[in-house]
Amino acid sequence: MSATAQGVIYEVSVDLESAIADEYHAWLHQHIAEMLALPGFLSAQVFDVLEPVAAGRVTYCVHYRLRDATALADYLRDHAARMRNEGAARFGDRFRASRRVLRESN
Protein backbone atom coordinates (compact mmCIF):
# COMPACT_ATOMS: atom_id res chain seq x y z
CA MET A 1 0.00 0.00 0.00
CA SER A 2 1.45 3.40 -0.92
CA ALA A 3 1.97 6.22 1.58
CA THR A 4 -0.70 8.15 -0.30
CA ALA A 5 -3.31 5.46 0.42
CA GLN A 6 -2.53 5.02 4.11
CA GLY A 7 -2.20 7.31 7.09
CA VAL A 8 1.00 9.15 7.87
CA ILE A 9 2.52 10.67 10.98
CA TYR A 10 3.83 14.21 10.74
CA GLU A 11 6.36 14.52 13.56
CA VAL A 12 7.41 17.92 14.87
CA SER A 13 10.18 18.06 17.47
CA VAL A 14 10.70 21.35 19.26
CA ASP A 15 13.79 22.17 21.29
CA LEU A 16 13.39 25.29 23.44
CA GLU A 17 14.87 27.28 26.26
CA SER A 18 13.64 25.93 29.59
CA ALA A 19 12.73 29.51 30.63
CA ILE A 20 9.85 29.53 28.11
CA ALA A 21 8.74 25.90 28.60
CA ASP A 22 5.53 26.62 30.53
CA GLU A 23 4.39 29.38 28.18
CA TYR A 24 5.30 27.31 25.11
CA HIS A 25 3.51 24.22 26.44
CA ALA A 26 0.30 26.20 27.03
CA TRP A 27 0.52 27.72 23.55
CA LEU A 28 1.32 24.33 22.02
CA HIS A 29 -2.02 22.88 23.09
CA GLN A 30 -3.86 25.80 21.44
CA HIS A 31 -1.72 25.31 18.32
CA ILE A 32 -2.54 21.60 18.22
CA ALA A 33 -6.27 22.35 18.43
CA GLU A 34 -5.89 24.63 15.38
CA MET A 35 -3.96 21.92 13.53
CA LEU A 36 -6.63 19.32 14.29
CA ALA A 37 -9.26 21.63 12.80
CA LEU A 38 -7.48 21.44 9.43
CA PRO A 39 -8.66 18.95 6.78
CA GLY A 40 -7.05 15.53 7.02
CA PHE A 41 -5.69 15.83 10.58
CA LEU A 42 -7.08 13.01 12.72
CA SER A 43 -5.27 13.19 16.07
CA ALA A 44 -2.19 14.42 17.87
CA GLN A 45 -0.06 13.13 20.70
CA VAL A 46 2.52 15.17 22.64
CA PHE A 47 5.63 13.60 24.13
CA ASP A 48 8.19 15.00 26.56
CA VAL A 49 11.60 14.02 25.20
CA LEU A 50 13.66 12.61 28.05
CA GLU A 51 16.88 11.91 26.18
CA PRO A 52 18.82 13.47 24.66
CA VAL A 53 18.14 16.95 26.01
CA ALA A 54 20.81 19.61 26.60
CA ALA A 55 21.11 21.41 29.94
CA GLY A 56 18.78 24.39 30.13
CA ARG A 57 16.63 23.05 27.28
CA VAL A 58 13.27 21.28 27.00
CA THR A 59 12.19 19.19 24.03
CA TYR A 60 8.68 18.23 22.98
CA CYS A 61 7.76 15.89 20.16
CA VAL A 62 4.30 15.98 18.59
CA HIS A 63 2.94 13.21 16.38
CA TYR A 64 0.10 14.38 14.17
CA ARG A 65 -1.80 11.52 12.53
CA LEU A 66 -3.11 12.44 9.09
CA ARG A 67 -5.53 10.64 6.83
CA ASP A 68 -2.94 10.18 4.08
CA ALA A 69 0.06 11.73 2.32
CA THR A 70 -2.25 13.84 0.17
CA ALA A 71 -3.65 15.52 3.31
CA LEU A 72 -0.08 16.26 4.43
CA ALA A 73 0.81 17.69 1.02
CA ASP A 74 -2.27 19.91 1.18
CA TYR A 75 -1.28 21.12 4.64
CA LEU A 76 2.29 21.85 3.57
CA ARG A 77 1.09 23.78 0.52
CA ASP A 78 -1.83 25.69 2.05
CA HIS A 79 -1.26 26.09 5.80
CA ALA A 80 2.27 25.25 6.96
CA ALA A 81 3.84 28.68 6.49
CA ARG A 82 1.09 30.42 8.45
CA MET A 83 1.08 27.87 11.27
CA ARG A 84 4.87 27.93 11.59
CA ASN A 85 4.98 31.72 11.55
CA GLU A 86 2.64 31.90 14.57
CA GLY A 87 5.22 30.15 16.76
CA ALA A 88 8.10 32.16 15.34
CA ALA A 89 6.25 35.44 15.94
CA ARG A 90 5.54 34.54 19.54
CA PHE A 91 8.81 32.87 20.60
CA GLY A 92 11.38 34.20 18.13
CA ASP A 93 14.69 32.40 18.14
CA ARG A 94 14.15 30.83 21.58
CA PHE A 95 13.17 27.51 19.98
CA ARG A 96 14.08 25.30 17.03
CA ALA A 97 11.76 22.88 15.26
CA SER A 98 12.56 19.86 13.13
CA ARG A 99 10.09 17.76 11.18
CA ARG A 100 9.82 14.22 9.84
CA VAL A 101 7.16 12.24 8.02
CA LEU A 102 6.58 8.66 9.13
CA ARG A 103 4.34 5.79 8.10
CA GLU A 104 3.79 2.45 9.73
CA SER A 105 6.06 -0.24 8.37
CA ASN A 106 4.40 -3.28 6.87
Side-chain angles (χ1 to χ4, degrees):
M1 187 178 280
S2 73
T4 302
Q6 69 186 58
V8 296
I9 300 293
Y10 179 51
E11 178 186 89
V12 181
S13 292
V14 183
D15 170 72
L16 52 121
E17 297 174 9
S18 59
I20 65 166
D22 290 341
E23 181 184 358
Y24 190 93
H25 194 263
W27 172 83
L28 179 60
H29 285 282
Q30 296 170 353
H31 179 75
I32 289 170
E34 291 178 32
M35 295 287 281
L36 292 176
L38 296 171
F41 280 77
L42 304 175
S43 65
Q45 190 170 9
V46 179
F47 299 91
D48 294 325
V49 176
L50 303 179
E51 291 184 24
V53 175
R57 309 290 295 180
V58 172
T59 303
Y60 299 118
C61 182
V62 183
H63 283 188
Y64 294 100
R65 183 170 296 279
L66 286 93
R67 179 186 65 240
D68 54 30
T70 301
L72 178 59
D74 292 345
Y75 163 74
L76 293 172
R77 182 189 65 238
D78 299 333
H79 303 285
R82 174 179 50 85
M83 297 303 282
R84 292 173 184 177
N85 287 340
E86 289 177 7
R90 183 162 186 161
F91 299 102
D93 63 356
R94 300 182 77 186
F95 78 103
R96 293 183 305 263
S98 63
R99 297 160 182 88
R100 298 190 308 177
V101 178
L102 312 168
R103 69 174 165 84
E104 189 172 339
S105 181
N106 295 326

